[in-house]
Amino acid sequence: MATLLRSKLTNVATAVSNKSQAKVSGVFARMGFQAATDEEAVGFAHCDDLDYEHRQGLQMDVLRAEGEPRVDGDEGAAESPVEGDIRYQRGDGAPLPPSGSKDQAVGAAGEFGGHDKPKITAWEAGWNVTNAIQGMFVLGLPYAILHGGYLGLFLIIFAAVVCCYTGKILIACLYEENEDGEVVRVRDSYVAIANACCAPRFPTLGGRVVNVAQIIELVMTCILYVVVSGNLMYNSFPGLPVSQKSWSIIATALLLPCAFLKNLKAVSRFSLLCTLAHFVINILVIAYCLSRARDWAWEKVKFYIDVKKFPISIGIIVFSYTSQIFLPSLEGNMQRPAEFHCMMNWTHVAACVLKGLFALVAYLTWADETKEVITDNLPGSIRAVVNLFLVAKALLSYPLPFFAAVEVLEKSLFQEGGRAFFPACYGGDGRLKPWGLTLRCALVVFTLLMAIYVPHFALLMGLTGSLTGAGLCFLLPSLFHLRLLWRKLLWHQVFFDVAIFVIGGICSVSGFVHSLEGLIEAYGTNAED
């Protein structure tokens, strides 16, 4: 009996001690003092669990040795960890797995997750960045040289340098120093950086702004794929009694199954093939231009700008470099994140050289006859073959931005728990609900309607680059860098950030205004670019 009484008293004392520690831990957690790294947090949590189970096991052994049966609901045995303590030790309050390796524990309790996923090399990361900034939208760059001359070439170089720099400072915003002076990753996405800049007064405002910009850019990319498909097919078969709008409708009919996508496994198989095909097409275009090198019109390239149309060219060039939105995720999945800066350097240098040569050679070949999609300048026999490959690439590329836009919309509006604006799109069995499928189909139809009523590739590309491209690539990274790392920046870093923000803002506003004016004029007069 004395042993049982002593055990009961020990249980009570232990419970009181645990509650006191939990309150203190909760206070520190609310003040922002947390474990330095996810691995330490997991280690602390494991130690607490093992120590607690060991003490409870010893107490149960004592009770069983005395011959007393176990009583359900016993105050000491049933004492559960307090929320404040769990949040302090584990960071997100998620329960640890019952057993498994250290990597599994980190994957379950870590803030960023993905530790158990296979990492990519710097070359693989560079390939992903190259796919983003060397896509088929480079076909509009010669049109930018048409309205900017040598200044257009300078802008291609300048945009590459600035986008490379802002990509690096955006990644720098993911890291902070802990109490030991070590630089650790405390954020995992563009949205998390934006939210940190607006905290504590508006903790979710920045993320919403980034999400809106991301959705606009992704949807506009889908519209551009439909526009370019209709444009290429119309110019490939001008003898057929089919208008550009009709070709856009046919292309959209082929894209309607995208509404049923649950993942991109089937589509991703074609991504490498599409990219290689695009490089082959670029080589064919350059080869044809080189074959006409004797007729190049060097006198047409001057140091002048078309004040009304050059701002549109700025948006076109900026849009061709947009990759910042997925760089945080890419860097977080690299085997050696320290190689990120080197990867950004060689990918943007390569993009700058290839884009500059492609734009200059194509413009020299056709000069004032340069069209907004350069393949439309090719002879009829070559144009039809090249354009068919480009249409196939556009149709196979459409599901990627479409699926990304759907995911952002679903997570923002339908999957935020109690904060969701609308009920979930998926049922309990994981199947897409009918009304969710209807919304996806409506998004596909919306891209078609935009492509039909605004069938101007260059103007749409310039508008998107000026509106969201400049914001995501120039304005927001420099602003976030100043906001989060102000005390650690050197004077030249502050100067670069401020200069990029000011220049980016001017280019964004002027490009947006002139692109919008061009669209209104083209829509009003029903003119074709």
Side-chain angles (χ1 to χ4, degrees), residues 138 141-142 145 153 156 354-364:
V138 300
L141 292 180
I145 304 298
L153 285 175
I156 291 176
L354 292 176
K355 288 180 179 182
L357 288 177
F358 181 84
L360 178 61
V361 168
Y363 175 72
L364 288 174

Side-chain angles (χ1 to χ4, degrees), residues 142-210:
Y143 189 76
I145 304 298
L146 174 65
H147 299 298
Y150 284 112
L151 290 179
L153 285 175
F154 170 77
L155 187 60
I156 291 176
I157 300 173
F158 177 76
V161 173
V162 172
C163 288
C164 182
Y165 173 76
T166 55
K168 294 176 182 179
I169 64 176
L170 184 68
I171 296 302
C173 294
L174 299 173
Y175 292 85
E176 288 185 2
E177 289 187 1
N178 60 13
E179 296 176 354
D180 298 328
E182 299 176 349
V183 179
V184 294
R185 205 171 196 260
V186 296
R187 302 177 187 95
D188 65 332
S189 65
Y190 208 138
V191 172
I193 296 173
N195 285 333
C197 290
C198 295
R201 184 169 296 179
F202 305 104
T204 61
L205 177 62
R208 291 177 179 176
V209 171
V210 170

Side-chain angles (χ1 to χ4, degrees), residues 147-358:
H147 299 298
Y150 284 112
L151 290 179
L153 285 175
F154 170 77
L155 187 60
I156 291 176
I157 300 173
F158 177 76
V161 173
V162 172
C163 288
C164 182
Y165 173 76
T166 55
K168 294 176 182 179
I169 64 176
L170 184 68
I171 296 302
C173 294
L174 299 173
Y175 292 85
E176 288 185 2
E177 289 187 1
N178 60 13
E179 296 176 354
D180 298 328
E182 299 176 349
V183 179
V184 294
R185 205 171 196 260
V186 296
R187 302 177 187 95
D188 65 332
S189 65
Y190 208 138
V191 172
I193 296 173
N195 285 333
C197 290
C198 295
R201 184 169 296 179
F202 305 104
T204 61
L205 177 62
R208 291 177 179 176
V209 171
V210 170
N211 275 336
V212 170
Q214 184 179 2
I215 290 172
I216 293 175
E217 180 164 332
L218 291 170
V219 173
M220 291 298 292
T221 302
C222 293
I223 296 170
L224 285 170
Y225 281 132
V226 178
V227 171
V228 77
S229 297
N231 179 283
L232 292 172
M233 292 300 295
Y234 177 73
N235 287 283
S236 298
F237 306 100
L240 295 178
V242 183
S243 65
Q244 179 175 335
K245 295 180 179 180
S246 299
W247 281 118
S248 297
I249 294 174
I250 295 173
T252 306
L254 297 176
L255 295 171
L256 201 57
C258 292
F260 298 88
L261 283 177
K262 289 188 177 181
N263 56 67
L264 293 177
K265 288 183 180 180
V267 179
S268 61
R269 297 175 183 175
F270 298 98
S271 100
L272 177 60
L273 182 61
C274 290
T275 304
L276 293 176
H278 179 64
F279 276 110
V280 171
I281 291 169
N282 285 351
I283 293 174
L284 289 177
V285 174
I286 292 177
Y288 177 81
C289 294
L290 292 176
S291 68
R292 296 183 53 187
R294 295 181 180 179
D295 301 326
W296 281 358
W298 286 98
E299 69 280 0
K300 295 290 185 178
V301 187
K302 300 178 181 179
F303 287 95
Y304 78 98
I305 59 173
D306 186 331
V307 178
K308 195 170 184 180
K309 293 188 176 181
F310 183 68
I312 303 174
S313 302
I314 296 176
I316 293 174
I317 294 172
V318 171
F319 185 75
S320 69
Y321 280 106
T322 54
S323 66
Q324 270 73 359
I325 200 69
F326 71 88
L327 289 182
S329 174
L330 190 68
E331 190 265 353
N333 285 282
M334 290 180 63
Q335 292 177 357
R336 298 178 180 178
E339 297 178 348
F340 178 82
H341 282 204
C342 180
M343 181 273 295
M344 289 290 290
N345 290 337
W346 65 259
T347 52
H348 282 74
V349 168
C352 174
V353 172
L354 292 176
K355 288 180 179 182
L357 288 177
F358 181 84

